[in-house]
Amino acid sequence: MTTVIAFLIIVYVLIIATDFVVWRRVCRRYLDGWRRRVYAGFTTLSDALPLLSWLVNVLLPDNTPAVVVVSMWMNTLYIIFVLPRMVWYMFLPFRRHKFVRIAAVATATAVAAIPIYGVFFGRKNIEVKSVDISSERLPDSFDGFRILLFSDLHIGTMLCPDSEIATFVETANAQKADMVIFTGDLVSIRHTELDDRRMKMLSGITAPYGVWASIGNHDTGIYVKDTVALPKLLNKELLLDKIEAMGWRIADDSTVYIRRGNDSVSLSGISFSERLYEMRHSAHMEDVDISDVYEGVPAHIYNITMSHLPQLWDNIIAGGYGDLTLSGHVHSMQAKVRVAGIEISPARIFYRRWSGLYEQNGHSLYINDGIGCVGACMRIGASPEITVITLHKSK
């Protein structure tokens, strides 16, 4: 069991326990017959939603895109129903005052509006971020080179995939970057999410130095249930074929060289392998050997590394590579807020580095918040992100 899942289970149990305590000490005593029954029915059904979501995934023979989306909607409704209720509970000790009761209702309503906004707007409002990276190791010809970074499309769990992909492609091409890099999780479960229509749409992304892709955990087929009908390895191979058919180039545990003018930089891609499955949410990955990705790569050449998992950054720079490492995976867990200049997100609990730019000893890591959703059909504060990174030669 991963740390993330264990944490979510603990939170779920605490919420149920809170509901039970409030029922015993407040609702049974102060609510009359029909109000008591309405409250009991509402809390019971809403608290059952995550369990129903889990049962849908466990009991059905296969996790088709429709099944996954239904499961995500159950989780989403749970958040919409439970968050305002937990806030309302905070006012209960002072419920005898009319002003407090009014404030409780107003606050709970406002809290309910936040995830609802995340479903209908926050999930779709793409944010374009501009980032400048300077390095004295960058070749002169690459001064001003612009990289467009995106990650985690999760096509199969988009609610309106055709319109959302069309908006994304239009926004991406409008940036007129020199090169486009995608750092994994094109699909959520299986290669069939990327059908002919969506392949045609995504093949419209263009850049003079190409569109480059690496592989994320969701691209490998490790979440496919019916592996008799669709073996994991076959799923990955078919997806890779489709990616190449779109005109994207894949750096799969390998390094290529990008030439501009009289200079070159190396571009490395770390593929997600099954050995990383149990560690995909781990904070540390010191024991993972990625040296084969850089075999024969001269250390003096400026290196850009694509790694779906940002946790591999320490491994990358320990080998002397990754002047710039580009990652995704975390999504900021689709929720973050800025308070007094500090970004707060559940992702902080599980990841040392979880969003945005990090720098260490001349090396830079940028973690893109991704485009799509997993788990729940919403984004709160963690907008879908396109990052435009401009490289500068520092003097």
Side-chain angles (χ1 to χ4, degrees):
M1 181 185 298
T2 67
T3 305
V4 175
I5 294 174
F7 173 80
L8 293 176
I9 291 174
I10 291 171
V11 171
Y12 180 53
V13 171
L14 288 174
I15 288 173
I16 292 176
T18 303
D19 281 332
F20 180 74
V21 170
V22 172
W23 165 254
R24 289 290 302 271
R25 296 189 177 183
V26 179
C27 298
R28 288 179 61 185
R29 184 177 302 178
Y30 295 103
L31 295 181
D32 57 23
W34 73 269
R35 288 185 177 88
R36 187 186 306 166
R37 288 191 295 272
V38 168
Y39 172 83
F42 174 71
T43 53
T44 301
L45 287 174
S46 59
D47 282 344
L49 285 170
L51 182 59
L52 291 173
S53 173
W54 177 76
L55 287 173
V56 163
N57 282 285
V58 169
L59 298 180
L60 292 179
D62 199 9
N63 50 349
T64 64
V67 168
V68 175
V69 170
V70 167
S71 176
M72 287 177 60
W73 268 114
M74 290 180 181
N75 296 332
T76 302
L77 290 174
Y78 175 71
I79 294 170
I80 292 172
F81 291 151
V82 167
L83 279 181
R85 191 164 76 236
M86 294 298 114
V87 170
W88 181 68
Y89 287 166
M90 296 170 61
F91 291 86
L92 285 179
F94 315 101
R95 63 188 176 279
R96 294 179 182 176
H97 303 284
K98 182 178 180 180
F99 171 78
V100 172
R101 293 197 297 271
I102 295 172
V105 173
T107 305
T109 302
V111 169
I114 294 173
I116 292 173
Y117 177 88
V119 171
F120 292 101
F121 300 100
R123 180 182 56 81
K124 299 187 297 182
N125 292 341
I126 297 175
E127 181 179 2
V128 179
K129 294 184 179 179
S130 297
V131 178
D132 293 294
I133 302 290
S134 297
S135 173
E136 61 183 14
R137 284 171 44 84
L138 186 73
D140 292 338
S141 298
F142 283 83
D143 187 29
F145 193 79
R146 300 172 76 245
I147 300 170
L148 186 143
L149 168 66
F150 72 102
S151 188
D152 299 89
L153 273 178
H154 291 285
I155 293 172
T157 47
M158 287 180 167
L159 299 184
C160 305
D162 290 350
S163 63
E164 292 177 42
I165 291 173
T167 300
F168 162 71
V169 171
E170 181 181 1
T171 306
N173 283 336
Q175 309 312 311
K176 301 187 183 304
D178 294 301
M179 183 167 66
V180 174
I181 286 180
F182 171 69
T183 53
D185 282 2
L186 185 59
V187 298
S188 286
I189 304 293
R190 65 195 68 230
H191 74 94
T192 53
E193 299 167 26
L194 184 62
D195 59 20
D196 291 342
R197 184 174 64 257
R198 293 160 193 170
M199 285 177 61
K200 183 176 181 181
M201 296 171 72
L202 288 170
S203 66
I205 301 175
T206 59
Y209 290 83
V211 180
W212 295 86
S214 58
I215 299 303
N217 48 304
H218 284 263
D219 298 322
T220 61
I222 56 178
Y223 301 108
V224 174
K225 283 186 66 177
D226 188 356
T227 54
V228 174
L230 180 60
K232 298 175 184 179
L233 183 58
L234 177 61
N235 179 85
K236 179 179 178 181
E237 291 174 350
L238 291 173
L239 182 62
L240 291 176
D241 290 343
K242 290 182 176 183
I243 292 173
E244 291 180 335
M246 294 192 306
W248 297 11
R249 303 180 219 180
I250 302 169
D252 190 12
D253 280 341
S254 60
T255 298
V256 297
Y257 297 89
I258 308 298
R259 186 169 184 82
R260 193 188 202 199
N262 295 321
D263 299 312
S264 297
V265 299
S266 58
L267 176 65
S268 305
I270 300 175
S271 181
F272 187 94
S273 59
E274 273 201 67
R275 63 180 176 168
L276 297 174
Y277 175 71
E278 295 296 335
M279 306 174 66
R280 66 194 186 280
H281 298 302
S282 300
H284 304 280
M285 293 189 171
E286 290 88 348
D287 296 333
V288 177
D289 181 13
I290 55 172
S291 58
D292 55 332
V293 175
Y294 304 100
E295 186 174 354
V297 178
H300 69 272
I301 295 181
Y302 185 90
N303 174 256
I304 302 170
T305 293
M306 303 181 288
S307 171
H308 182 67
L309 300 180
Q311 304 99 298
L312 287 172
W313 190 41
D314 291 323
N315 308 54
I316 295 166
I317 62 178
Y321 297 98
D323 293 283
L324 172 61
T325 300
L326 304 175
S327 297
H329 183 58
V330 184
H331 304 201
S332 289
M333 295 186 73
Q334 294 166 213
K336 67 178 177 181
V337 295
R338 181 177 289 273
V339 179
I342 300 174
E343 287 189 329
I344 300 173
S345 166
R348 278 186 174 272
I349 302 172
F350 308 105
Y351 298 92
R352 294 168 57 199
R353 308 172 186 105
W354 53 277
S355 179
L357 180 64
Y358 300 84
E359 295 181 303
Q360 179 177 314
N361 299 328
H363 299 267
S364 299
L365 164 70
Y366 192 90
I367 305 173
N368 179 278
D369 278 347
I371 299 293
C373 296
V374 295
C377 312
M378 67 173 67
R379 280 178 171 261
I380 302 171
S383 300
E385 179 182 349
I386 290 174
T387 315
V388 179
I389 298 172
T390 305
L391 304 181
H392 298 282
K393 169 75 173 182
S394 59
K395 305 302 182 182

PDB file of all heavy atoms in Angstrom, residues 289-306:
ATOM      1  N   ASP A 289      18.923   2.726 -10.498  1.00  0.00           N
ATOM      2  CA  ASP A 289      20.068   2.942 -11.391  1.00  0.00           C
ATOM      3  C   ASP A 289      19.564   3.400 -12.763  1.00  0.00           C
ATOM      4  O   ASP A 289      18.818   2.688 -13.430  1.00  0.00           O
ATOM      5  CB  ASP A 289      20.857   1.645 -11.532  1.00  0.00           C
ATOM      6  CG  ASP A 289      22.083   1.804 -12.423  1.00  0.00           C
ATOM      7  OD1 ASP A 289      22.453   2.957 -12.725  1.00  0.00           O
ATOM      8  OD2 ASP A 289      22.650   0.771 -12.828  1.00  0.00           O
ATOM      9  N   ILE A 290      19.955   4.606 -13.176  1.00  0.00           N
ATOM     10  CA  ILE A 290      19.537   5.135 -14.475  1.00  0.00           C
ATOM     11  C   ILE A 290      20.749   5.419 -15.363  1.00  0.00           C
ATOM     12  O   ILE A 290      20.638   6.143 -16.353  1.00  0.00           O
ATOM     13  CB  ILE A 290      18.708   6.428 -14.303  1.00  0.00           C
ATOM     14  CG1 ILE A 290      19.486   7.468 -13.487  1.00  0.00           C
ATOM     15  CG2 ILE A 290      17.366   6.126 -13.648  1.00  0.00           C
ATOM     16  CD1 ILE A 290      18.825   8.829 -13.431  1.00  0.00           C
ATOM     17  N   SER A 291      21.875   4.834 -15.011  1.00  0.00           N
ATOM     18  CA  SER A 291      23.112   5.149 -15.729  1.00  0.00           C
ATOM     19  C   SER A 291      23.051   4.762 -17.203  1.00  0.00           C
ATOM     20  O   SER A 291      23.722   5.387 -18.044  1.00  0.00           O
ATOM     21  CB  SER A 291      24.305   4.451 -15.060  1.00  0.00           C
ATOM     22  OG  SER A 291      24.104   3.047 -15.027  1.00  0.00           O
ATOM     23  N   ASP A 292      22.243   3.731 -17.549  1.00  0.00           N
ATOM     24  CA  ASP A 292      22.181   3.302 -18.945  1.00  0.00           C
ATOM     25  C   ASP A 292      21.573   4.364 -19.849  1.00  0.00           C
ATOM     26  O   ASP A 292      21.835   4.389 -21.052  1.00  0.00           O
ATOM     27  CB  ASP A 292      21.381   2.004 -19.061  1.00  0.00           C
ATOM     28  CG  ASP A 292      19.989   2.117 -18.464  1.00  0.00           C
ATOM     29  OD1 ASP A 292      19.801   2.929 -17.544  1.00  0.00           O
ATOM     30  OD2 ASP A 292      19.089   1.377 -18.907  1.00  0.00           O
ATOM     31  N   VAL A 293      20.774   5.267 -19.283  1.00  0.00           N
ATOM     32  CA  VAL A 293      20.165   6.342 -20.079  1.00  0.00           C
ATOM     33  C   VAL A 293      21.238   7.260 -20.648  1.00  0.00           C
ATOM     34  O   VAL A 293      21.096   7.808 -21.747  1.00  0.00           O
ATOM     35  CB  VAL A 293      19.172   7.151 -19.214  1.00  0.00           C
ATOM     36  CG1 VAL A 293      18.613   8.345 -19.980  1.00  0.00           C
ATOM     37  CG2 VAL A 293      18.043   6.252 -18.719  1.00  0.00           C
ATOM     38  N   TYR A 294      22.348   7.415 -19.914  1.00  0.00           N
ATOM     39  CA  TYR A 294      23.389   8.387 -20.282  1.00  0.00           C
ATOM     40  C   TYR A 294      24.655   7.706 -20.800  1.00  0.00           C
ATOM     41  O   TYR A 294      25.702   8.356 -20.897  1.00  0.00           O
ATOM     42  CB  TYR A 294      23.749   9.242 -19.066  1.00  0.00           C
ATOM     43  CG  TYR A 294      22.561   9.950 -18.468  1.00  0.00           C
ATOM     44  CD1 TYR A 294      21.930   9.448 -17.331  1.00  0.00           C
ATOM     45  CD2 TYR A 294      22.059  11.115 -19.040  1.00  0.00           C
ATOM     46  CE1 TYR A 294      20.843  10.098 -16.781  1.00  0.00           C
ATOM     47  CE2 TYR A 294      20.968  11.767 -18.496  1.00  0.00           C
ATOM     48  CZ  TYR A 294      20.360  11.254 -17.366  1.00  0.00           C
ATOM     49  OH  TYR A 294      19.277  11.908 -16.817  1.00  0.00           O
ATOM     50  N   GLU A 295      24.546   6.449 -21.171  1.00  0.00           N
ATOM     51  CA  GLU A 295      25.721   5.719 -21.613  1.00  0.00           C
ATOM     52  C   GLU A 295      26.355   6.381 -22.839  1.00  0.00           C
ATOM     53  O   GLU A 295      25.710   6.596 -23.862  1.00  0.00           O
ATOM     54  CB  GLU A 295      25.350   4.271 -21.946  1.00  0.00           C
ATOM     55  CG  GLU A 295      26.543   3.404 -22.279  1.00  0.00           C
ATOM     56  CD  GLU A 295      26.155   1.944 -22.471  1.00  0.00           C
ATOM     57  OE1 GLU A 295      24.982   1.598 -22.224  1.00  0.00           O
ATOM     58  OE2 GLU A 295      27.036   1.169 -22.877  1.00  0.00           O
ATOM     59  N   GLY A 296      27.614   6.736 -22.705  1.00  0.00           N
ATOM     60  CA  GLY A 296      28.346   7.358 -23.802  1.00  0.00           C
ATOM     61  C   GLY A 296      28.088   8.837 -23.990  1.00  0.00           C
ATOM     62  O   GLY A 296      28.621   9.444 -24.924  1.00  0.00           O
ATOM     63  N   VAL A 297      27.291   9.445 -23.120  1.00  0.00           N
ATOM     64  CA  VAL A 297      26.970  10.873 -23.262  1.00  0.00           C
ATOM     65  C   VAL A 297      28.084  11.702 -22.632  1.00  0.00           C
ATOM     66  O   VAL A 297      28.374  11.552 -21.438  1.00  0.00           O
ATOM     67  CB  VAL A 297      25.627  11.212 -22.590  1.00  0.00           C
ATOM     68  CG1 VAL A 297      25.330  12.701 -22.711  1.00  0.00           C
ATOM     69  CG2 VAL A 297      24.501  10.385 -23.204  1.00  0.00           C
ATOM     70  N   PRO A 298      28.739  12.571 -23.394  1.00  0.00           N
ATOM     71  CA  PRO A 298      29.822  13.392 -22.834  1.00  0.00           C
ATOM     72  C   PRO A 298      29.302  14.306 -21.725  1.00  0.00           C
ATOM     73  O   PRO A 298      28.260  14.955 -21.865  1.00  0.00           O
ATOM     74  CB  PRO A 298      30.306  14.207 -24.040  1.00  0.00           C
ATOM     75  CG  PRO A 298      29.848  13.442 -25.235  1.00  0.00           C
ATOM     76  CD  PRO A 298      28.561  12.804 -24.838  1.00  0.00           C
ATOM     77  N   ALA A 299      30.028  14.356 -20.626  1.00  0.00           N
ATOM     78  CA  ALA A 299      29.596  15.143 -19.470  1.00  0.00           C
ATOM     79  C   ALA A 299      29.665  16.651 -19.730  1.00  0.00           C
ATOM     80  O   ALA A 299      28.983  17.429 -19.054  1.00  0.00           O
ATOM     81  CB  ALA A 299      30.441  14.787 -18.248  1.00  0.00           C
ATOM     82  N   HIS A 300      30.464  17.070 -20.709  1.00  0.00           N
ATOM     83  CA  HIS A 300      30.635  18.507 -20.930  1.00  0.00           C
ATOM     84  C   HIS A 300      29.484  19.120 -21.736  1.00  0.00           C
ATOM     85  O   HIS A 300      29.369  20.343 -21.827  1.00  0.00           O
ATOM     86  CB  HIS A 300      31.959  18.772 -21.649  1.00  0.00           C
ATOM     87  CG  HIS A 300      31.981  18.293 -23.074  1.00  0.00           C
ATOM     88  ND1 HIS A 300      32.362  17.009 -23.402  1.00  0.00           N
ATOM     89  CD2 HIS A 300      31.663  18.914 -24.244  1.00  0.00           C
ATOM     90  CE1 HIS A 300      32.286  16.859 -24.715  1.00  0.00           C
ATOM     91  NE2 HIS A 300      31.860  17.993 -25.259  1.00  0.00           N
ATOM     92  N   ILE A 301      28.620  18.272 -22.310  1.00  0.00           N
ATOM     93  CA  ILE A 301      27.510  18.783 -23.122  1.00  0.00           C
ATOM     94  C   ILE A 301      26.312  19.101 -22.225  1.00  0.00           C
ATOM     95  O   ILE A 301      25.943  18.304 -21.352  1.00  0.00           O
ATOM     96  CB  ILE A 301      27.099  17.757 -24.201  1.00  0.00           C
ATOM     97  CG1 ILE A 301      28.239  17.570 -25.204  1.00  0.00           C
ATOM     98  CG2 ILE A 301      25.832  18.187 -24.921  1.00  0.00           C
ATOM     99  CD1 ILE A 301      27.930  16.594 -26.313  1.00  0.00           C
ATOM    100  N   TYR A 302      25.723  20.251 -22.431  1.00  0.00           N
ATOM    101  CA  TYR A 302      24.525  20.647 -21.679  1.00  0.00           C
ATOM    102  C   TYR A 302      23.440  19.596 -21.901  1.00  0.00           C
ATOM    103  O   TYR A 302      23.127  19.214 -23.028  1.00  0.00           O
ATOM    104  CB  TYR A 302      24.033  22.013 -22.165  1.00  0.00           C
ATOM    105  CG  TYR A 302      22.867  22.590 -21.372  1.00  0.00           C
ATOM    106  CD1 TYR A 302      23.097  23.389 -20.263  1.00  0.00           C
ATOM    107  CD2 TYR A 302      21.555  22.330 -21.752  1.00  0.00           C
ATOM    108  CE1 TYR A 302      22.032  23.931 -19.540  1.00  0.00           C
ATOM    109  CE2 TYR A 302      20.489  22.862 -21.036  1.00  0.00           C
ATOM    110  CZ  TYR A 302      20.727  23.662 -19.934  1.00  0.00           C
ATOM    111  OH  TYR A 302      19.667  24.205 -19.233  1.00  0.00           O
ATOM    112  N   ASN A 303      22.861  19.114 -20.792  1.00  0.00           N
ATOM    113  CA  ASN A 303      21.907  18.011 -20.871  1.00  0.00           C
ATOM    114  C   ASN A 303      20.518  18.414 -20.374  1.00  0.00           C
ATOM    115  O   ASN A 303      20.376  19.015 -19.308  1.00  0.00           O
ATOM    116  CB  ASN A 303      22.403  16.816 -20.041  1.00  0.00           C
ATOM    117  CG  ASN A 303      21.381  15.686 -19.972  1.00  0.00           C
ATOM    118  OD1 ASN A 303      20.709  15.505 -18.961  1.00  0.00           O
ATOM    119  ND2 ASN A 303      21.249  14.936 -21.064  1.00  0.00           N
ATOM    120  N   ILE A 304      19.524  18.068 -21.170  1.00  0.00           N
ATOM    121  CA  ILE A 304      18.126  18.205 -20.777  1.00  0.00           C
ATOM    122  C   ILE A 304      17.582  16.785 -20.578  1.00  0.00           C
ATOM    123  O   ILE A 304      17.713  15.943 -21.471  1.00  0.00           O
ATOM    124  CB  ILE A 304      17.304  18.935 -21.851  1.00  0.00           C
ATOM    125  CG1 ILE A 304      17.882  20.326 -22.121  1.00  0.00           C
ATOM    126  CG2 ILE A 304      15.832  19.037 -21.437  1.00  0.00           C
ATOM    127  CD1 ILE A 304      17.284  21.010 -23.332  1.00  0.00           C
ATOM    128  N   THR A 305      17.006  16.518 -19.420  1.00  0.00           N
ATOM    129  CA  THR A 305      16.463  15.192 -19.135  1.00  0.00           C
ATOM    130  C   THR A 305      14.958  15.267 -18.925  1.00  0.00           C
ATOM    131  O   THR A 305      14.473  16.115 -18.179  1.00  0.00           O
ATOM    132  CB  THR A 305      17.129  14.570 -17.892  1.00  0.00           C
ATOM    133  OG1 THR A 305      18.498  14.295 -18.174  1.00  0.00           O
ATOM    134  CG2 THR A 305      16.441  13.265 -17.505  1.00  0.00           C
ATOM    135  N   MET A 306      14.240  14.361 -19.591  1.00  0.00           N
ATOM    136  CA  MET A 306      12.804  14.196 -19.379  1.00  0.00           C
ATOM    137  C   MET A 306      12.589  13.027 -18.431  1.00  0.00           C
ATOM    138  O   MET A 306      12.973  11.899 -18.738  1.00  0.00           O
ATOM    139  CB  MET A 306      12.087  13.913 -20.709  1.00  0.00           C
ATOM    140  CG  MET A 306      12.296  14.975 -21.773  1.00  0.00           C
ATOM    141  SD  MET A 306      11.388  14.564 -23.299  1.00  0.00           S
ATOM    142  CE  MET A 306      12.367  13.198 -23.903  1.00  0.00           C
TER     143      MET A 306
END
